[in-house]
Amino acid sequence: AQKVTQTQTSISVMEKTTVTMDCVYETQDSSYFLFWYKQTASGEIVFLIRQDSYKKENATVGHYSLNFQKPKSSIGLIITATQIEDSAVYFCAMREGNYAQGLTFGLGTRVSVFP
Amino acid sequence: NSKVIQTPRYLVKGQGQKAKMRCIPEKGHPVVFWYQQNKNNEFKFLINFQNQEVLQQIDMTEKRFSAECPSNSPCSLEIQSSEAGDSALYLCASSLSPWGLYEQYFGPGTRLTVL
């Protein structure tokens, strides 16, 4: 069975600094896909970035990047040059390569960015 | 802003009442997923469709929940007899494909409160 664990409940950072949050996952599948989403205070869930299990290079989109450590079943999210509007709850999610599966989410990490 | 439209944003029902919520997927996305997010940030996949066909659904959905995605009409999720434990944020997401590597894009959700 799939499982996604985010151990950090909340993180506070100063604006313009870098924040890193952890995620570990469990799967029996050799092919899987890892996603990060953020949920804003209004409840809106926004897709941020994706990592495919068969790719060795870490994904990067804008000021989001991933630290994919496959042997450790770990996919960390790094946000550089944080802004106040990055304050949100960040969710790590996984889908195995199977057809039509839903996402399995972690419980989220709340990030607060202070000026 | 979400391109997935969900209505209503808020829904209040008494126990035993029907609760119906609707979703219009992003244009060009044939695949729709429904999730339940509870107050503890636990996400539960409920059901998904490709066009009008159910791809996968969990046992809970088979009992009190019903869902459909009729042609040329919004998709809908209906709880036949609401229970207090159904109080949650119901999220609709759409995708280009049911395969795992495709991102899901979420609507703003319908927050259901069962009194």
Side-chain angles (χ1 to χ4, degrees):
Chain A
Q2 302 174 64
K3 187 177 180 181
V4 176
T5 302
Q6 297 178 252
T7 56
Q8 300 154 298
T9 305
S10 64
I11 302 174
S12 295
V13 296
M14 300 298 291
E15 193 179 12
K16 301 178 185 175
T17 63
T18 295
V19 62
T20 301
M21 59 200 90
D22 304 325
C23 173
V24 293
Y25 56 89
E26 296 176 27
T27 178
Q28 302 300 316
D29 232 13
S30 58
S31 174
Y32 51 89
F33 305 91
L34 302 161
F35 303 86
W36 280 90
Y37 288 85
K38 78 173 190 180
Q39 188 169 32
T40 64
S42 66
E44 183 184 13
I45 297 178
V46 180
F47 165 71
L48 298 177
I49 191 169
R50 184 187 94 218
Q51 179 75 41
D52 302 341
S53 62
Y54 54 85
K55 291 187 177 179
K56 293 185 178 179
E57 54 276 9
N58 292 319
T60 298
V61 175
H63 75 145
Y64 302 106
S65 60
L66 297 177
N67 179 18
F68 181 41
Q69 299 183 58
K70 194 171 182 178
K72 295 183 178 180
S73 297
S74 171
I75 183 75
L77 175 67
I78 303 163
I79 308 175
T80 57
T82 53
Q83 303 164 21
I84 301 295
E85 50 267 34
D86 291 323
S87 297
V89 180
Y90 289 81
F91 291 96
C92 177
M94 177 174 69
R95 284 184 83 186
E96 292 176 339
N98 299 335
Y99 186 79
Q101 273 206 351
L103 289 162
T104 298
F105 285 85
L107 295 180
T109 297
R110 180 176 296 279
V111 172
S112 300
V113 182
F114 294 96
Chain B
N1 288 334
S2 302
K3 296 179 182 178
V4 176
I5 299 170
Q6 286 190 252
T7 56
R9 292 294 306 274
Y10 300 91
L11 196 53
V12 180
K13 294 292 180 181
Q15 295 196 48
Q17 290 186 321
K18 287 186 181 181
K20 188 169 186 175
M21 53 206 85
R22 293 174 176 83
C23 170
I24 299 175
E26 188 170 329
K27 191 173 182 180
H29 285 190
V31 184
V32 170
F33 296 79
W34 285 98
Y35 295 88
Q36 178 196 65
Q37 182 188 18
N38 67 19
K39 62 180 181 179
N40 297 320
N41 277 344
E42 294 167 321
F43 285 78
K44 181 180 290 184
F45 163 74
L46 299 176
I47 192 169
N48 57 2
F49 292 84
Q50 181 167 16
N51 297 316
Q52 294 81 53
E53 180 187 349
V54 175
L55 297 176
Q56 199 172 82
Q57 61 183 344
I58 65 167
D59 286 345
M60 181 179 82
T61 313
E62 292 171 1
K63 292 173 183 173
R64 293 187 300 110
F65 290 61
S66 62
E68 61 177 0
C69 276
S71 177
N72 299 319
S73 293
C75 297
S76 64
L77 177 69
E78 185 170 32
I79 306 173
Q80 303 301 322
S81 179
S82 300
E83 299 176 355
D86 297 330
S87 295
L89 182 66
Y90 289 84
L91 293 156
C92 174
S94 71
S95 181
L96 279 169
S97 166
W99 290 103
L101 82 164
Y102 287 88
E103 299 92 18
Q104 295 174 29
Y105 294 90
F106 285 80
T110 293
R111 187 166 296 282
L112 173 65
T113 302
V114 182
L115 303 175

